[in-house]
Amino acid sequence: MYELIEKAEIFNVHKMVIKAPEIANSIKPGQFVIIMGNEYSERIPITVSDWNTDTGAITLYVLELGISTLELARMKAGDSLYAVTGPLGIPSEIKNYGTVALGGGCYGIGGIYPIAKACKEAGNKVISIIEARYSSMFYHEKELHAVSDQVLYATSDGSKGKKGKVEDVIGEMLEEGVKIDHAFFMGCTQMLERCSEATRPYAIPTKVALNSIMLDGTGMCGACRVSIGGETKFACVDGPEFDGHKVDWKELNRRKSAYTEHEAVVYQSYSHGCLAEKKLRQEL
Amino acid sequence: MELTAKERMAIERHGMAEQPPDLRNRNFEEVPYGYTPEEAVAEAQRCLNCKKRQCISGCPVEVPIPEFIALVAEEKFAEAARLIKTKNVLPAICGRVCPQETQCEEVCVRGKKDVTKAVAIGNLERFVADYERENNLMEVPELPDKNGFKIAVIGSGPSGLTVAGDLIQLGYEATIYEAFHLGGGVLVYGIPEFRLPKKIVEKEIGALEDLGVKIYYNSVIGRLYKVDDLFNIMGFNAVYIGVGAGLPIFLNVPGMNLNGVFSANEYLTRSNLMKSYLFPKYRTPMVIGKKVAVLGGGNVAMDSARTALRLGAEKVTIVYRRAREQMPARAAEVHHAEEEKIEFRLLSSPVEIYGNEQGWATGMKCQRYELGEPDESGRQRPVPIENSFFEFDCDQVIVAIGGQANPLITATTPDMKVNKWGYIEVDDWGRTNKEFVYAGGDIVTGAATVISAMGAGRRAAKAIHEDLMKETDETLRPPDEEVE
């Protein structure tokens, strides 16, 4: 059993600090875990945002999207998760690139933190760029500031930083002639694609952390297969990071949407259950 | 009352009663019901107790077959189960999934002319193991004192369970690292409920845990610890690698990444391990195909096809490149699939999977094949026939044409020798080139059977015992140990 030590809600992203000392001891930046809230859950791959080898805790930011993550979101400190498997995936390649730009949105705001930290330790100039709909949706900022030379913001409503998205910030920097030697992006597929398109004209080596559907996470099932430069790769064992300029985004989006209808069905059965319970309580 | 050989010869083989095909093809309950005690005794009386015990040599783990059958004939069912367990720690499983017709039953004297007339050794094995379990007669055998050695086993599939089971009974501490949240490996993620109920796997693993085998779940070796870490950090004295199936192979034809195209591993893992046939109670979803095509002719293809039917497919078609008699699947599985009205398109192979605008599979184009000269495996090579294409509609394609070696462990253990396909190289006893590192099962042989993996585990356990005892005081060596 894996105890949930701390739980906090940042809009639809949920901070989960979990006791998993073996994972805390072996994980490296860019790797992920697969978690199950209970024995009925799906196996959900989640990037690890932070870890502490002294306390044996790992920090995850879970986007509530679908039933299994909703059930995770309902868990409270002191509860236990049914399964936490990891570390999985190949760690990010960390070296002294010069200037590194990291872009994060959604769960990727927390997700880029360990990569930024490792890049900083490797001697890079680190520019972190994070996006959200509005300013109150940012999180993990203090930590990110501590390992970045610069933290830039983008919000849809303009309430903090630039009005727009990460690719607008990075696009503007590149136009102004800021030299970026390497870029990492983490967030939803649409964001990864747009950011990759922003760095493409400048031929900046760009790594994106792909989030295709996974099952076992050890290469056994092939559910997570993605096309990279025309070659089929498994995101769980060959990735999760790939060259953002070579990803077949259309295929990735299509494969990710395979179970949209099922999500609706299961949500319905879940909310029906909730309604029934509510009604029962009212009657009592 | 002792029967004469003539009387024994006069008894016909007892089949197992089964769920009728048109009932079972819509449920996940086990297909054969099992023997009654009367049937088991009558079947056991068919055994001639030959002097030359060929059946034992036909068994990869050398179960004392005539002896256990004699106990069945005397209605000593639990004793029979315990006798099997001296050689095979998972009899309820092997009784169900072993290909007896090419092993013990193939060489049975009663089946010399016709293997379907052999003594039903597998059925009897299943019966006694079920009898012992269902009547709560399972006993924890007495174990010798601990000898102080710690063994790490990677993977809780059939070979890993065998290694752990054998070594714990010799006084070792055995610890299994399993990547999934449940134990059993292919027994839980691969083989469907209707062929091997998961309760049985759970119970047999529980019996090993009762013996003191420790199982750490959710632990992916190669990532969490490297093989060397298991020695240096965790203090193990030997490591057995039994990680099983590798990466799935997809065909190199257009359309393989369309939605609705699955590897059999994914399809079966969703249904079996994640129980998506019970969706939405279990949250892992499964796309239900109406017209399903399964590529391949092995047991995994049969399992996939029969699962698709039970999940609600209207029509399931198996597409196989060679002829029926060349299908690697067990005869019983092919027979069950045919009974359930699964269609076979033999000597055919897809050249393209068609998709619609939304990117979902809609059909496939196949080419017909004919049999040519024999290849290295001795099977006649399938040769494509020119301009012999045909098409049919399918909204789901399950690819069950095998796999390649999983590199998770070998890539993080660079000083361990692998062959050109990435499978681990071992000697006859499972020793790798790395001292005190052993391997067996599919990660050595490529896809094979449960029992051959168990046989590899049995041999490796012997080698581990021999090698570690050599390292230590001679007096620690058990006096009756056979040195191979």
Side-chain angles (χ1 to χ4, degrees):
Chain A
M1 280 296 164
Y2 304 84
E3 194 198 337
L4 185 56
I5 304 167
E6 187 193 331
K7 168 79 180 29
E9 199 169 330
I10 311 124
F11 286 83
N12 60 343
V13 173
H14 299 263
K15 180 183 188 183
M16 302 183 85
V17 182
I18 300 164
K19 188 144 186 127
E22 287 181 299
I23 297 175
N25 272 326
S26 52
I27 194 157
K28 295 187 176 63
Q31 289 187 301
F32 62 95
V33 291
I34 284 185
I35 63 176
M36 296 173 75
N38 58 61
E39 61 169 312
Y40 303 101
S41 299
E42 293 166 81
R43 293 168 62 89
I44 312 276
I46 309 276
T47 304
V48 179
S49 291
D50 208 352
W51 52 90
N52 184 326
T53 48
D54 295 331
T55 62
I58 61 171
T59 301
L60 315 179
Y61 289 98
V62 179
L63 173 67
E64 192 184 320
L65 184 83
I67 193 73
S68 296
T69 48
L70 182 146
E71 286 173 339
L72 285 168
R74 297 278 159 93
M75 294 179 79
K76 295 182 287 293
D79 291 348
S80 283
L81 280 83
Y82 176 70
V84 179
T85 307
L88 297 169
I90 298 174
S92 307
E93 194 183 344
I94 306 291
K95 57 182 185 187
N96 193 345
Y97 295 101
T99 301
V100 175
L102 298 113
C106 191
Y107 63 87
I109 297 174
I112 58 170
Y113 167 73
I115 307 173
K117 187 178 171 198
C119 283
K120 184 72 192 162
E121 282 163 6
N124 291 284
K125 182 183 176 190
V126 173
I127 304 170
S128 298
I129 311 160
I130 51 181
E131 70 172 40
R133 259 177 289 157
Y134 20 87
S135 61
S136 50
M137 290 178 83
F138 290 112
Y139 60 90
H140 217 72
E141 289 171 80
K142 200 175 72 194
E143 291 86 346
L144 202 54
H145 275 278
V147 298
S148 309
D149 293 275
Q150 219 179 343
V151 178
L152 301 170
Y153 293 85
T155 46
S156 307
D157 67 348
S159 54
K160 189 163 191 181
K162 189 174 174 61
K163 187 171 186 257
K165 307 261 187 198
V166 168
E167 70 268 21
D168 300 317
V169 177
I170 204 164
E172 200 175 87
M173 289 167 69
L174 290 167
E175 257 174 53
E176 284 167 5
V178 176
K179 189 172 153 292
I180 295 173
D181 301 297
H182 198 88
F184 284 98
F185 297 110
M186 195 182 296
C188 68
T189 312
Q190 288 73 18
M191 175 206 155
L192 300 180
E193 180 177 4
R194 290 192 310 256
C195 290
S196 298
E197 288 316 308
T199 60
R200 188 194 296 276
Y202 300 88
I204 297 163
T206 298
K207 284 290 167 79
V208 290
L210 297 187
N211 46 15
S212 50
I213 292 173
M214 287 183 192
L215 204 53
D216 63 290
T218 63
M220 193 199 79
C221 85
C224 66
R225 60 194 192 276
V226 290
S227 292
I228 309 294
E231 241 184 283
T232 297
K233 296 275 182 193
F234 291 176
C236 67
V237 288
D238 301 323
E241 287 178 11
F242 293 101
D243 183 341
H245 299 147
K246 289 187 176 167
V247 176
D248 183 338
W249 298 105
K250 201 176 147 201
E251 181 186 286
L252 177 60
N253 280 316
R254 171 165 62 65
R255 290 187 58 82
K256 281 191 66 173
S257 70
Y259 297 99
T260 317
E261 282 174 31
H262 292 78
E263 286 292 350
V265 170
V266 75
Y267 245 129
Q268 219 168 20
S269 73
Y270 185 85
S271 56
H272 277 174
C274 287
L275 285 176
E277 191 186 296
K278 214 170 160 185
K279 200 164 164 242
L280 193 71
R281 282 194 186 156
Q282 278 167 355
E283 281 169 8
L284 289 171
Chain B
M1 176 192 66
E2 191 63 27
L3 295 178
T4 64
K6 201 175 168 190
E7 283 167 329
R8 289 177 190 278
M9 288 297 289
I11 309 170
E12 295 261 342
R13 175 167 164 137
H14 294 72
M16 261 189 196
E18 290 179 350
Q19 276 198 74
D22 54 350
L23 174 68
R24 72 186 191 229
N25 64 7
R26 296 293 170 202
N27 71 50
F28 277 84
E29 306 291 316
E30 196 172 11
V31 172
Y33 294 123
Y35 277 155
T36 61
E38 295 73 33
E39 285 171 330
V41 169
E43 182 61 30
Q45 287 171 339
R46 298 184 63 231
C47 175
L48 302 176
N49 205 357
C50 313
K51 248 195 199 119
K52 206 168 159 201
R53 294 131 40 103
Q54 302 227 34
C55 47
I56 299 183
S57 57
C59 173
V61 297
E62 296 172 353
V63 166
I65 293 166
E67 287 83 352
F68 102 73
I69 291 181
L71 287 169
V72 176
E74 294 170 32
E75 295 183 44
K76 293 180 178 162
F77 304 135
E79 288 84 345
R82 281 169 210 145
L83 181 64
I84 297 176
K85 282 183 181 171
T86 60
K87 292 289 185 180
N88 177 349
V89 289
L90 309 169
I93 294 169
C94 290
R96 288 172 164 83
V97 303
C98 263
Q100 290 96 5
E101 71 274 13
T102 61
Q103 296 179 344
C104 52
E105 293 182 19
E106 185 182 36
V107 291
C108 171
V109 173
R110 299 288 312 262
K112 238 179 191 156
K113 284 193 199 119
D114 177 0
V115 72
T116 65
K117 300 267 180 347
V119 175
I121 301 167
N123 290 357
L124 289 170
E125 181 181 32
R126 171 186 160 165
F127 169 78
V128 296
D130 288 355
Y131 183 91
E132 185 197 29
R133 187 185 65 253
E134 286 163 6
N135 293 291
N136 293 316
L137 298 170
M138 285 166 94
E139 282 179 358
V140 180
E142 265 197 37
L143 297 183
D145 290 338
K146 288 275 169 255
N147 64 17
F149 287 113
K150 290 168 64 187
I151 314 299
V153 173
I154 310 173
S156 68
S159 82
L161 292 176
T162 303
V163 171
D166 280 7
L167 290 177
I168 198 110
Q169 296 192 52
L170 288 169
Y172 292 82
E173 267 183 57
T175 303
I176 300 180
Y177 290 93
E178 166 55 46
F180 275 130
H181 52 281
L182 294 174
V186 72
L187 306 172
V188 291
Y189 76 74
I191 301 178
E193 181 75 16
F194 55 84
R195 208 146 75 74
L196 177 62
K198 301 310 153 217
K199 283 247 172 321
I200 293 172
V201 181
E202 224 173 86
K203 196 89 183 188
E204 300 229 318
I205 291 175
L208 286 179
E209 287 180 302
D210 290 343
L211 285 177
V213 173
K214 270 182 271 172
I215 306 183
Y216 291 115
Y217 296 99
N218 309 307
S219 302
V220 181
I221 302 303
R223 294 272 195 249
L224 188 64
Y225 300 112
K226 292 177 182 159
V227 169
D228 285 339
D229 296 339
L230 293 174
F231 292 101
N232 304 333
I233 301 175
M234 306 304 288
F236 288 103
N237 304 100
V239 173
Y240 177 77
I241 304 169
V243 294
L247 317 182
I249 294 178
F250 291 91
L251 279 176
N252 193 17
V253 302
M256 270 289 134
N257 289 352
L258 286 165
N259 288 9
V261 181
F262 296 83
S263 75
N265 280 355
E266 178 185 354
Y267 192 77
L268 293 173
T269 300
R270 278 183 188 276
S271 179
N272 299 331
L273 178 76
M274 305 309 291
K275 297 203 174 8
S276 59
Y277 68 92
L278 299 174
F279 179 87
K281 182 185 178 194
Y282 283 81
R283 305 305 200 188
T284 302
M286 173 72 105
V287 177
I288 307 297
K290 284 200 176 68
K291 292 181 179 160
V292 180
V294 178
L295 311 181
N299 287 324
V300 175
M302 301 304 139
D303 285 346
S304 303
R306 297 172 69 200
T307 297
L309 203 63
R310 284 158 175 78
L311 284 170
E314 288 160 11
K315 188 177 177 191
V316 182
T317 306
I318 284 180
V319 180
Y320 181 54
R321 220 156 52 105
R322 301 177 191 243
R324 189 186 188 284
E325 50 279 8
Q326 296 169 313
M327 283 201 285
R330 276 183 74 188
E333 303 310 324
V334 179
H335 176 67
H336 277 145
E338 284 174 336
E339 277 187 341
E340 290 169 16
K341 301 210 172 54
I342 283 164
E343 183 187 68
F344 287 77
R345 286 187 186 252
L346 302 168
L347 290 163
S348 305
S349 186
V351 290
E352 183 173 356
I353 314 294
Y354 298 127
N356 62 16
E357 275 176 21
Q358 290 77 42
W360 285 84
T362 55
M364 70 167 68
K365 180 180 180 180
C366 291
Q367 185 165 21
R368 290 205 167 81
Y369 280 65
E370 59 190 354
L371 293 179
E373 296 296 307
D375 62 13
E376 320 82 65
S377 72
R379 294 187 297 180
Q380 279 184 288
R381 190 192 301 272
V383 186
I385 304 172
E386 259 182 71
N387 297 319
S388 64
F389 299 100
F390 65 94
E391 295 176 354
F392 67 97
D393 291 343
C394 57
D395 55 1
Q396 196 163 57
V397 180
I398 303 166
V399 187
I401 55 170
Q404 51 193 4
N406 191 324
L408 263 185
I409 290 198
T410 51
T412 51
T413 318
D415 55 340
M416 187 168 61
K417 269 194 199 147
V418 295
N419 67 19
K420 64 178 170 176
W421 299 283
Y423 293 111
I424 299 172
E425 280 191 2
V426 297
D427 72 4
D428 290 345
W429 295 89
R431 296 180 181 95
T432 70
N433 67 306
K434 252 174 100 78
E435 213 181 10
F436 300 115
V437 178
Y438 306 78
D442 285 6
I443 191 60
V444 169
T445 57
T449 60
V450 168
I451 192 68
S452 70
M454 290 179 67
R458 161 84 13 98
R459 290 191 296 278
K462 274 189 187 165
I464 290 170
H465 185 47
E466 192 180 308
D467 295 351
L468 282 174
M469 287 301 132
K470 234 184 260 164
E471 287 292 298
T472 181
D473 186 344
E474 282 290 319
T475 55
L476 270 180
R477 191 191 286 252
D480 59 346
E481 193 221 2
E482 36 174 317
V483 180
E484 299 291 333

